[in-house]
Amino acid sequence: MNIENALNKGKKILKKGDIKSLNLDTEILLSKVIGKDRKFIILNQDRALKKLYFNNFIRLIKERSNGKPIAYLLERKSFWNYEFEIKEGTLIPRPDTELLIEEVLKFTKNKNKLKVLDIGAGSGCIILSILEEKKDFHGIGIDISKKSIDLSKRNAIHLNLNNRVKFIKSNVDNFNIGKYDLIISNPPYIKRSNLKYLNKDVANFEPRLALDGGIDGLSGFRKVIGKSSELIKINGKLFLEIGFDQKKEIKKMLKSKGFYINKVLKDYAGKDRCIVSTKKN
Ligand code: GLN
């Protein structure tokens, strides 16, 4: 058995599972198993592969073939400029969410020592990316999921940020600590009746808790905006990731809680994805 044979075997299995990214996924998973990068795999196809490696590779391939996302198999995902540990039970960071980071950095270009709150921090990717870029900011991430809190704490340690961030297991309603210059949230915002239309990799493997926005998809925003209006300082900024069809309702909610709308941003697919607002009264 050599690398080429293993890749071919892997591709055959993924094809049966109707996985589209056959070449990429087989190469990435074999890289993980043998601890080399993809270039090595591509350039050394005639190298012999140990039986143990082959067996481990096939085990991962079968999981992938059932739809398990690559990030859960690798337990890794790149987001912004960093690599995060990812575990099942926590939402996989999405490239679209990098928009939030870009906007936070634009709005805080000349600001120092701000205090940040991330509501529903998940892997911690949002608040940790911001703290990496802004060396004198500090903050708190909360999440209702114990798994997410354990994971975000580990990510903070890996990035050497554990002296500037705390992760606390709490639901948003019960959290009442501190006042913040910036609040950020990517709450669950999929309408419950639409969950079944999500890609099966997402629907079958990613946590419902991070996706299910209730009957109208907006219940996460009601909680986050309500709580933010209490915990944010006057002139503090709230950055929210939103669904493509939620702009109108969310603007209304924000205004009713004393927020001024700064801007709504579109993602790379041209869909509304992020809303920035400022607490005025
Ligand atoms: N954007 C995510 C998705 O496509 C949804 C994230 C969320 O509900 N916050 O699955």
Side-chain angles (χ1 to χ4, degrees):
M1 175 69 58
N2 65 18
I3 287 182
E4 186 184 10
N5 308 139
L7 290 173
N8 286 334
K9 181 97 186 152
K11 282 183 231 173
K12 232 179 177 167
I13 297 172
L14 291 189
K15 199 163 186 182
K16 270 195 208 143
D18 205 21
I19 303 293
K20 303 286 182 271
S21 42
L22 304 176
N23 293 321
L24 182 64
D25 290 6
T26 43
E27 286 162 18
I28 289 176
L29 292 174
L30 191 55
S31 303
K32 162 155 170 101
V33 166
I34 66 175
K36 306 266 191 200
D37 61 12
R38 264 180 76 208
K39 201 162 84 191
F40 178 91
I41 304 281
I42 294 163
L43 296 176
N44 293 281
Q45 305 240 345
D46 53 355
R47 284 237 193 164
L49 190 67
K50 287 189 190 127
K51 182 94 179 131
L52 179 68
Y53 285 160
F54 178 70
N55 292 342
N56 287 344
F57 170 66
I58 293 298
R59 189 173 45 78
L60 291 177
I61 284 285
K62 285 183 177 160
E63 289 192 82
R64 179 69 195 115
S65 174
N66 286 329
K68 188 184 278 195
I70 283 278
Y72 288 147
L73 294 170
L74 300 178
E75 301 190 319
R76 288 265 167 279
K77 178 77 184 177
S78 293
F79 177 83
W80 194 245
N81 291 326
Y82 310 100
E83 194 165 85
F84 291 87
E85 184 185 340
I86 298 302
K87 282 254 189 281
E88 272 183 85
T90 300
L91 193 78
I92 300 167
R94 310 287 204 260
D96 285 330
T97 303
E98 293 176 345
L99 257 184
L100 275 182
I101 314 291
E102 265 177 40
E103 283 312 303
V104 169
L105 295 178
K106 272 188 210 160
F107 275 90
T108 58
K109 210 163 171 197
N110 303 311
K111 298 272 193 281
N112 301 312
K113 298 193 174 167
L114 299 188
K115 191 168 173 187
V116 188
L117 174 65
D118 184 343
I119 302 177
S123 61
C125 66
I126 299 177
I127 189 166
L128 293 172
S129 297
I130 293 167
L131 296 190
E132 270 293 346
E133 304 298 335
K134 305 293 284 183
K135 298 293 183 198
D136 59 3
F137 285 18
H138 61 288
I140 293 182
I142 64 168
D143 204 289
I144 195 169
S145 150
K146 163 99 168 50
K147 271 189 188 161
S148 288
I149 291 296
D150 292 344
L151 182 67
S152 52
K153 283 181 177 168
R154 281 203 301 280
N155 278 320
I157 292 169
H158 291 153
L159 290 168
N160 228 335
L161 287 170
N162 46 321
N163 55 344
R164 284 193 283 133
V165 68
K166 260 203 192 111
F167 288 101
I168 298 174
K169 182 185 174 313
S170 172
N171 72 21
V172 51
D173 299 324
N174 297 338
F175 183 76
N176 289 307
I177 304 172
K179 292 276 179 198
Y180 300 87
D181 301 289
L182 298 180
I183 300 184
I184 297 140
S185 187
N186 174 15
Y189 57 66
I190 312 281
K191 246 188 219 166
R192 193 164 295 158
S193 56
N194 285 342
L195 287 169
K196 56 179 178 293
Y197 303 119
L198 291 173
N199 184 318
K200 78 173 184 357
D201 291 19
V202 178
N204 295 342
F205 291 91
E206 297 208 64
R208 192 165 258 255
L209 205 55
L211 298 165
D212 182 351
I215 290 170
D216 64 358
L218 297 167
S219 59
F221 292 107
R222 276 185 209 99
K223 290 183 184 191
V224 167
I225 293 171
K227 179 56 72 175
S228 296
S229 75
E230 295 166 19
L231 294 183
I232 201 161
K233 296 179 188 171
I234 294 288
N235 288 323
K237 288 209 153 45
L238 175 60
F239 296 80
L240 297 172
E241 180 169 323
I242 64 170
F244 69 96
D245 55 355
Q246 297 174 325
K247 170 170 77 175
K248 211 171 118 208
E249 287 91 342
I250 293 171
K251 272 182 160 178
K252 211 157 88 189
M253 267 184 226
L254 285 165
K255 286 179 189 164
S256 79
K257 295 283 178 190
F259 288 90
Y260 164 84
I261 313 297
N262 296 96
K263 63 180 185 180
V264 179
L265 287 124
K266 292 189 192 304
D267 62 20
Y268 304 110
K271 297 190 169 142
D272 292 329
R273 182 64 63 198
C274 167
I275 183 158
V276 185
S277 60
T278 304
K279 178 71 171 161
K280 285 297 176 193
N281 54 60

